[in-house]
Amino acid sequence: MWSSFNLLSGLLLLDVALAHLPGIPTVPFKGDGKKTFKLDAVQTVIIDSKYTKTTDKSGLTLIPPTLHEFGATFAQDLQEVFNKTVTAKDGDKRESNTIFLTIDSDHEFLDAAGRSTTEGYTIVAEEDGVTIRGASSLGAWWGTRTLLQQAILGDKSAVPVGQGDDAPGWSTRGMMLDCGRHFYPKQFLIDMCSYISFFKQNTFHIHLSDNTIVPTYTPDNYNETYARFRLWSDSSEVSGLNKHANESYTKDDFEDIQTKCAQRGVTIIPEIEAPGHCLPIVQWRPQIGYQGDLSLLNISHPDTIPTMKTIWKEFLPWFHTSVVSIGADEYKGPEEDYKRFVNEMSAFMNEEASKSIRIWGTFPAVKHAGSPTTIDSNITIQHWAYLFDNPYEDYIKNNYSVINSDEMYYIVMKDGPYGRKINTDITFTGNPDGHGPWYPNIFNLSNPNSNPSKNNKLIQGAISPLWNDHGANTSVYSEAYYAWRDGIPALADKHWGGNLTQDQYSNWFSKLLAKIPAQTLERRIPSNQNTIFSYDLRKVKGDSVADKSGNKYDAKTTCKGADDGIAMSTDCDITTPWSSKGRNYKLSLTLNMDKLTDETNTTLVAGSDSTLMLTPNVTLFASGIYYRLNKTIPLQSWVRLEINGDGPKTFASAFNEKGDIIFSKEEFLTEMSYYGQPLRWHEMAIEAPIHQITGWQGKVRDFTLTTDGMGDKPGDSFATRGLPSAPILIAALAVALCLGL
């Protein structure tokens, strides 16, 4: 007879075996509840030789990876998760302790609206291996994400023996990032693709041109207002459009972004915004600005549409997708001009590059008493605000395809009427019909009758935007990731059509986060204890500096040692094996500086994300912006300078040789614009610069990095399978007790 605990365990396993595999999104799965296969036994991923060069040509990307390429990427991910060698090879069958990837084109997978989808897959787990049969190479790829999550969540990396069919609810699932008002480096975008792909998101919409928001755009201020166009071309046709090469994407950059994101099943959707939010273009061609608001284009000017065609003609060959966004958001000029612009640009994209377009919802699409023109029905409309449209009444009932980007999930960095992060309470309880989970068919959170049915074929899916209304100094690059981090997995489950509960989400996400492969967004550093590295720089001989933390992160130096510390000069440096540390850290540097090599620009410690400087105030330079304190440190005396990263805030403290406080917990803040109102101060989350002590004259005695953050320790790696929520545990235990076991 089973004990109460054994019965409880059996009930929990039965629930998982017959319902779904744990993971985000959830995966329908039926197992026998007893046998498992340990994924850490896998050393080889085998790709079916018959389909090794097969690609999915039904999606939006024009550079779809082959099944073999997806398989090779999967092998690399397994290698990273298990810290062991895993290889990929072609073959005609599964072998013992392998994972076999193949194509099953005869199996029809359907989405939430009953549409056939090539993103579906079947997973078959046996005692000696796993087979993934994708409807396409992309479908097989999503199956590998399921297995990768089992490797992290499963008890001893085990997947139950059994079988499941899985397919997404909607074809468009993803996020949008405002790169127009805030530049993001190429690698950040690539890392974000790795992150969203892990949760089966397939779309990354990149907003490539815009301007900050001020009350008016006039001849007096339009050239001084922050406005950027982020693509850089040397072509004479667009010379002068972009004047900021260091904050731009070249053709090679954009090629790399698109290719590496496609390798993970993510399509980059580029947006060049017009005829609104067009100050970068008006600064280039002032004659086409709309009088009264120079952030808009005067569509009736004879040069306006030819100018936009010139821009698109230059950059269309860069874009490896069958659809692009022309923006068309918040235009305040004549509605008729707007509709003519949209239709003409749609025809141009089709004729020039066989591409279709998306626009933001701005005016009613069909003709009416005030506007006799109808927007072409082959244009997809991205709804975002009921202020401008009713997506069900204006678009869906008039046969327009719609993407749900409703402002319920809007993020505007740091300040404003929208959230600072995604509201996951809406994700799990946002359905106005019974307060069940939200799905992409839900636009209205209060009236069920204002939402189309879940199986409406005109809903393409959902994209959740992050905007930088207040400009480039509002945040460092990683703050966009942190604003999204917790919300993306929850949304991904609902975009896929999953049935994840809020308790499951909290439990499983916390275990998955530290192991997501092919990205370093949190700048984690493995450590066996809170001290990550510690260098005593007194009496150093030779070019090696021992790390006393126990992590063996020894540094190298080209400087000369002395009894009281290493002698620094502008011609030498001390270099650690790490370049940057993410949130929750304390960086300590004990130094005696002779003089400032540059009174306004002296580097103390450089890193990949930030630089610690004296300008002459204590300064962190990050994401292209100087963040200065109103404090400095004395010269020609020993000072311990500490930088503390505490969640979303960053502080500095300084102490003299006796330990007396020079200043304490001074916070690095940004002074940011707010829609033309008085400037506001906000916190900054700046990574620790830890790569190289360099650029100044004097001596340095010690250099130490500690952390109290979660997930930096090696022991956090392979988590056990997440338990169900407390009510399920209590109910199961009650059953056992009632049975008297």
Side-chain angles (χ1 to χ4, degrees), residues 245-447:
N246 63 322
E247 299 177 349
S248 303
Y249 308 112
T250 65
K251 185 176 183 179
D252 287 345
D253 289 336
F254 215 73
E255 182 78 18
D256 202 29
I257 293 166
Q258 292 177 100
T259 299
K260 289 180 177 174
C261 289
Q263 288 171 353
R264 293 190 168 272
V266 177
T267 300
I268 298 293
I269 304 295
E271 176 188 350
I272 297 175
E273 173 76 89
H277 296 266
C278 267
L279 198 56
I281 296 168
V282 174
Q283 288 175 346
W284 179 49
R285 294 285 185 264
Q287 71 272 21
I288 64 174
Y290 187 73
Q291 297 306 308
D293 186 345
L294 291 175
S295 72
L296 310 177
L297 298 183
N298 177 6
I299 298 170
S300 64
H301 191 285
D303 292 341
T304 296
I305 291 180
T307 296
M308 291 311 304
K309 288 180 178 180
T310 295
I311 294 170
W312 276 103
K313 190 169 184 177
E314 174 64 25
F315 296 108
L316 273 173
W318 293 26
F319 302 146
H320 301 311
T321 174
S322 60
V323 61
V324 295
S325 173
I326 67 165
D329 186 26
E330 292 187 296
Y331 188 68
K332 301 168 187 174
E335 180 178 343
E336 269 300 290
D337 286 353
Y338 171 91
K339 289 181 175 179
R340 179 171 64 86
F341 174 87
V342 167
N343 286 344
E344 188 164 344
M345 292 306 296
S346 175
F348 172 77
M349 300 297 182
N350 182 55
E351 294 166 5
E352 186 72 21
S354 300
K355 297 184 189 297
S356 59
I357 69 168
R358 294 175 179 173
I359 63 172
W360 294 98
T362 297
F363 288 110
V366 298
K367 63 183 180 181
H368 55 88
S371 173
T373 300
T374 292
I375 289 176
D376 293 342
S377 61
N378 63 339
I379 296 170
T380 297
I381 302 177
Q382 204 162 335
H383 158 80
W384 74 275
Y386 276 90
L387 175 66
F388 294 99
D389 60 39
N390 181 316
Y392 192 22
E393 297 294 330
D394 293 340
Y395 305 142
I396 292 172
K397 287 188 176 181
N398 288 301
N399 207 37
Y400 288 92
S401 292
V402 173
I403 293 170
N404 190 345
S405 290
D406 191 86
E407 57 190 337
M408 69 178 82
Y409 291 125
Y410 260 35
I411 293 173
V412 173
M413 292 299 291
K414 295 291 173 76
D415 211 332
Y418 296 108
R420 308 288 83 78
K421 61 182 181 179
I422 290 169
N423 186 342
T424 56
D425 287 339
I426 293 176
T427 312
F428 292 106
T429 62
N431 191 333
D433 188 7
H435 301 293
W438 172 91
Y439 289 104
N441 65 299
I442 297 172
F443 299 89
N444 191 306
L445 297 177
S446 59
N447 183 3

Side-chain angles (χ1 to χ4, degrees), residues 40-60:
D40 61 2
V42 172
Q43 293 183 330
T44 307
V45 175
I46 301 177
I47 299 95
D48 192 336
S49 300
K50 295 192 297 292
Y51 303 105
T52 185
K53 295 182 179 180
T54 300
T55 62
D56 176 25
K57 296 181 174 62
S58 65
L60 297 183

